[in-house]
PDB file of all heavy atoms in Angstrom:
ATOM      1  N   ARG Z 262     323.153  47.688 190.387  1.00 34.00           N
ATOM      2  CA  ARG Z 262     323.837  46.694 189.588  1.00 34.00           C
ATOM      3  C   ARG Z 262     323.617  47.016 188.029  1.00 34.00           C
ATOM      4  O   ARG Z 262     322.447  47.086 187.626  1.00 34.00           O
ATOM      5  CB  ARG Z 262     323.384  45.277 189.899  1.00 34.00           C
ATOM      6  CG  ARG Z 262     324.267  44.184 189.262  1.00 34.00           C
ATOM      7  CD  ARG Z 262     323.748  42.768 189.825  1.00 34.00           C
ATOM      8  NE  ARG Z 262     324.658  41.784 189.334  1.00 34.00           N
ATOM      9  CZ  ARG Z 262     325.738  41.333 189.859  1.00 34.00           C
ATOM     10  NH1 ARG Z 262     326.130  41.938 190.921  1.00 34.00           N
ATOM     11  NH2 ARG Z 262     326.454  40.448 189.402  1.00 34.00           N
ATOM     12  N   PRO Z 263     324.655  47.182 187.298  1.00 33.00           N
ATOM     13  CA  PRO Z 263     324.427  47.538 185.988  1.00 33.00           C
ATOM     14  C   PRO Z 263     323.890  46.475 185.123  1.00 33.00           C
ATOM     15  O   PRO Z 263     324.150  45.233 185.257  1.00 33.00           O
ATOM     16  CB  PRO Z 263     325.855  47.985 185.501  1.00 33.00           C
ATOM     17  CG  PRO Z 263     326.897  47.162 186.349  1.00 33.00           C
ATOM     18  CD  PRO Z 263     326.133  47.122 187.631  1.00 33.00           C
ATOM     19  N   ALA Z 264     323.026  46.918 184.075  1.00 37.00           N
ATOM     20  CA  ALA Z 264     322.478  45.811 183.142  1.00 37.00           C
ATOM     21  C   ALA Z 264     323.512  45.504 182.141  1.00 37.00           C
ATOM     22  O   ALA Z 264     324.404  46.347 181.833  1.00 37.00           O
ATOM     23  CB  ALA Z 264     321.262  46.441 182.511  1.00 37.00           C
ATOM     24  N   GLN Z 265     323.444  44.360 181.591  1.00 38.00           N
ATOM     25  CA  GLN Z 265     324.300  43.941 180.518  1.00 38.00           C
ATOM     26  C   GLN Z 265     323.502  43.280 179.424  1.00 38.00           C
ATOM     27  O   GLN Z 265     322.477  42.689 179.703  1.00 38.00           O
ATOM     28  CB  GLN Z 265     325.312  42.957 181.028  1.00 38.00           C
ATOM     29  CG  GLN Z 265     326.191  43.467 182.276  1.00 38.00           C
ATOM     30  CD  GLN Z 265     327.074  42.456 182.780  1.00 38.00           C
ATOM     31  OE1 GLN Z 265     327.391  41.409 182.049  1.00 38.00           O
ATOM     32  NE2 GLN Z 265     327.472  42.461 184.030  1.00 38.00           N
ATOM     33  N   GLU Z 266     323.966  43.601 178.292  1.00 38.00           N
ATOM     34  CA  GLU Z 266     323.260  42.914 176.978  1.00 38.00           C
ATOM     35  C   GLU Z 266     324.290  42.107 176.378  1.00 38.00           C
ATOM     36  O   GLU Z 266     325.219  42.444 175.837  1.00 38.00           O
ATOM     37  CB  GLU Z 266     322.796  44.150 176.041  1.00 38.00           C
ATOM     38  CG  GLU Z 266     322.240  43.659 174.775  1.00 38.00           C
ATOM     39  CD  GLU Z 266     320.972  43.020 174.849  1.00 38.00           C
ATOM     40  OE1 GLU Z 266     320.458  43.165 175.868  1.00 38.00           O
ATOM     41  OE2 GLU Z 266     320.528  42.406 173.837  1.00 38.00           O
ATOM     42  N   ASN Z 267     323.950  40.743 176.386  1.00 41.00           N
ATOM     43  CA  ASN Z 267     324.796  39.723 175.729  1.00 41.00           C
ATOM     44  C   ASN Z 267     326.126  39.722 176.268  1.00 41.00           C
ATOM     45  O   ASN Z 267     327.052  39.594 175.479  1.00 41.00           O
ATOM     46  CB  ASN Z 267     324.808  39.947 174.249  1.00 41.00           C
ATOM     47  CG  ASN Z 267     323.403  39.883 173.568  1.00 41.00           C
ATOM     48  OD1 ASN Z 267     322.589  39.047 174.101  1.00 41.00           O
ATOM     49  ND2 ASN Z 267     323.114  40.553 172.574  1.00 41.00           N
ATOM     50  N   GLY Z 268     326.231  40.031 177.531  1.00 40.00           N
ATOM     51  CA  GLY Z 268     327.627  40.024 178.144  1.00 40.00           C
ATOM     52  C   GLY Z 268     328.448  41.305 177.880  1.00 40.00           C
ATOM     53  O   GLY Z 268     329.550  41.302 178.314  1.00 40.00           O
ATOM     54  N   GLU Z 269     327.963  42.299 177.134  1.00 40.00           N
ATOM     55  CA  GLU Z 269     328.709  43.347 176.728  1.00 40.00           C
ATOM     56  C   GLU Z 269     328.786  44.377 177.972  1.00 40.00           C
ATOM     57  O   GLU Z 269     327.757  44.619 178.749  1.00 40.00           O
ATOM     58  CB  GLU Z 269     328.147  44.107 175.580  1.00 40.00           C
ATOM     59  CG  GLU Z 269     328.277  43.431 174.253  1.00 40.00           C
ATOM     60  CD  GLU Z 269     329.677  43.368 173.784  1.00 40.00           C
ATOM     61  OE1 GLU Z 269     330.555  43.899 174.352  1.00 40.00           O
ATOM     62  OE2 GLU Z 269     329.836  42.719 172.618  1.00 40.00           O
ATOM     63  N   LYS Z 270     329.948  45.025 178.115  1.00 37.00           N
ATOM     64  CA  LYS Z 270     329.998  45.969 179.181  1.00 37.00           C
ATOM     65  C   LYS Z 270     330.787  47.236 178.520  1.00 37.00           C
ATOM     66  O   LYS Z 270     331.277  47.125 177.454  1.00 37.00           O
ATOM     67  CB  LYS Z 270     330.846  45.504 180.275  1.00 37.00           C
ATOM     68  CG  LYS Z 270     330.281  44.408 181.129  1.00 37.00           C
ATOM     69  CD  LYS Z 270     330.928  44.179 182.338  1.00 37.00           C
ATOM     70  CE  LYS Z 270     332.049  43.087 182.364  1.00 37.00           C
ATOM     71  NZ  LYS Z 270     332.714  42.916 183.723  1.00 37.00           N
ATOM     72  N   GLY Z 271     330.833  48.328 179.240  1.00 36.00           N
ATOM     73  CA  GLY Z 271     331.536  49.499 178.865  1.00 36.00           C
ATOM     74  C   GLY Z 271     330.703  50.696 178.600  1.00 36.00           C
ATOM     75  O   GLY Z 271     331.224  51.733 178.490  1.00 36.00           O
ATOM     76  N   GLU Z 272     329.368  50.659 178.389  1.00 36.00           N
ATOM     77  CA  GLU Z 272     328.573  51.888 178.246  1.00 36.00           C
ATOM     78  C   GLU Z 272     328.350  52.550 179.669  1.00 36.00           C
ATOM     79  O   GLU Z 272     328.049  51.767 180.544  1.00 36.00           O
ATOM     80  CB  GLU Z 272     327.231  51.538 177.607  1.00 36.00           C
ATOM     81  CG  GLU Z 272     326.232  52.628 177.410  1.00 36.00           C
ATOM     82  CD  GLU Z 272     326.718  53.730 176.478  1.00 36.00           C
ATOM     83  OE1 GLU Z 272     327.335  53.257 175.396  1.00 36.00           O
ATOM     84  OE2 GLU Z 272     326.601  54.828 176.674  1.00 36.00           O
ATOM     85  N   PHE Z 273     328.352  53.780 179.730  1.00 33.00           N
ATOM     86  CA  PHE Z 273     328.103  54.396 180.979  1.00 33.00           C
ATOM     87  C   PHE Z 273     326.612  54.499 181.279  1.00 33.00           C
ATOM     88  O   PHE Z 273     325.940  54.868 180.414  1.00 33.00           O
ATOM     89  CB  PHE Z 273     328.886  55.698 181.012  1.00 33.00           C
ATOM     90  CG  PHE Z 273     330.222  55.818 180.599  1.00 33.00           C
ATOM     91  CD1 PHE Z 273     330.657  56.384 179.472  1.00 33.00           C
ATOM     92  CD2 PHE Z 273     331.151  55.007 181.247  1.00 33.00           C
ATOM     93  CE1 PHE Z 273     331.996  56.321 179.059  1.00 33.00           C
ATOM     94  CE2 PHE Z 273     332.483  55.032 180.975  1.00 33.00           C
ATOM     95  CZ  PHE Z 273     332.913  55.611 179.747  1.00 33.00           C
ATOM     96  N   HIS Z 274     326.263  54.264 182.497  1.00 36.00           N
ATOM     97  CA  HIS Z 274     324.861  54.061 182.803  1.00 36.00           C
ATOM     98  C   HIS Z 274     324.338  55.421 183.456  1.00 36.00           C
ATOM     99  O   HIS Z 274     325.083  56.095 184.067  1.00 36.00           O
ATOM    100  CB  HIS Z 274     324.662  52.974 183.815  1.00 36.00           C
ATOM    101  CG  HIS Z 274     324.830  51.623 183.123  1.00 36.00           C
ATOM    102  ND1 HIS Z 274     323.845  51.014 182.431  1.00 36.00           N
ATOM    103  CD2 HIS Z 274     325.928  50.898 182.888  1.00 36.00           C
ATOM    104  CE1 HIS Z 274     324.351  49.798 181.839  1.00 36.00           C
ATOM    105  NE2 HIS Z 274     325.697  49.809 182.113  1.00 36.00           N
ATOM    106  N   LYS Z 275     323.074  55.599 183.373  1.00 38.00           N
ATOM    107  CA  LYS Z 275     322.398  56.655 183.902  1.00 38.00           C
ATOM    108  C   LYS Z 275     321.783  56.473 185.280  1.00 38.00           C
ATOM    109  O   LYS Z 275     321.227  55.404 185.545  1.00 38.00           O
ATOM    110  CB  LYS Z 275     321.182  57.162 182.928  1.00 38.00           C
ATOM    111  CG  LYS Z 275     320.537  58.367 183.403  1.00 38.00           C
ATOM    112  CD  LYS Z 275     319.316  58.594 182.532  1.00 38.00           C
ATOM    113  CE  LYS Z 275     318.115  57.740 182.760  1.00 38.00           C
ATOM    114  NZ  LYS Z 275     316.970  58.158 182.073  1.00 38.00           N
ATOM    115  N   LEU Z 276     321.886  57.338 186.091  1.00 33.00           N
ATOM    116  CA  LEU Z 276     321.199  57.443 187.415  1.00 33.00           C
ATOM    117  C   LEU Z 276     320.205  58.639 187.317  1.00 33.00           C
ATOM    118  O   LEU Z 276     320.320  59.312 186.268  1.00 33.00           O
ATOM    119  CB  LEU Z 276     322.069  57.536 188.507  1.00 33.00           C
ATOM    120  CG  LEU Z 276     323.159  56.439 188.738  1.00 33.00           C
ATOM    121  CD1 LEU Z 276     324.094  56.763 189.906  1.00 33.00           C
ATOM    122  CD2 LEU Z 276     322.430  55.114 188.921  1.00 33.00           C
ATOM    123  N   ALA Z 277     319.393  58.848 188.383  1.00 37.00           N
ATOM    124  CA  ALA Z 277     318.510  59.990 188.356  1.00 37.00           C
ATOM    125  C   ALA Z 277     319.385  61.185 188.241  1.00 37.00           C
ATOM    126  O   ALA Z 277     320.468  61.403 188.770  1.00 37.00           O
ATOM    127  CB  ALA Z 277     317.700  59.982 189.620  1.00 37.00           C
ATOM    128  N   ASP Z 278     318.778  62.105 187.378  1.00 43.00           N
ATOM    129  CA  ASP Z 278     319.441  63.344 187.197  1.00 43.00           C
ATOM    130  C   ASP Z 278     320.917  63.265 186.621  1.00 43.00           C
ATOM    131  O   ASP Z 278     321.727  63.983 186.974  1.00 43.00           O
ATOM    132  CB  ASP Z 278     319.379  64.351 188.398  1.00 43.00           C
ATOM    133  CG  ASP Z 278     318.011  64.620 188.844  1.00 43.00           C
ATOM    134  OD1 ASP Z 278     317.154  64.783 188.039  1.00 43.00           O
ATOM    135  OD2 ASP Z 278     317.854  64.728 190.000  1.00 43.00           O
ATOM    136  N   ALA Z 279     321.095  62.228 185.802  1.00 40.00           N
ATOM    137  CA  ALA Z 279     322.413  61.909 185.254  1.00 40.00           C
ATOM    138  C   ALA Z 279     323.568  61.869 186.181  1.00 40.00           C
ATOM    139  O   ALA Z 279     324.671  62.393 185.914  1.00 40.00           O
ATOM    140  CB  ALA Z 279     322.755  63.135 184.111  1.00 40.00           C
ATOM    141  N   LYS Z 280     323.213  61.435 187.402  1.00 37.00           N
ATOM    142  CA  LYS Z 280     324.326  61.204 188.384  1.00 37.00           C
ATOM    143  C   LYS Z 280     324.954  59.813 187.979  1.00 37.00           C
ATOM    144  O   LYS Z 280     324.587  58.795 188.306  1.00 37.00           O
ATOM    145  CB  LYS Z 280     323.811  61.185 189.791  1.00 37.00           C
ATOM    146  CG  LYS Z 280     323.243  62.630 190.196  1.00 37.00           C
ATOM    147  CD  LYS Z 280     322.744  62.464 191.572  1.00 37.00           C
ATOM    148  CE  LYS Z 280     322.148  63.827 192.018  1.00 37.00           C
ATOM    149  NZ  LYS Z 280     321.431  63.808 193.437  1.00 37.00           N
TER     150      LYS Z 280
END
Side-chain angles (χ1 to χ4, degrees):
R262 189 175 185 86
Q265 300 177 27
E266 174 69 8
N267 297 326
E269 293 286 0
K270 294 195 265 181
E272 173 71 37
F273 306 118
H274 290 273
K275 182 183 76 170
L276 299 179
D278 297 327
K280 294 178 181 177

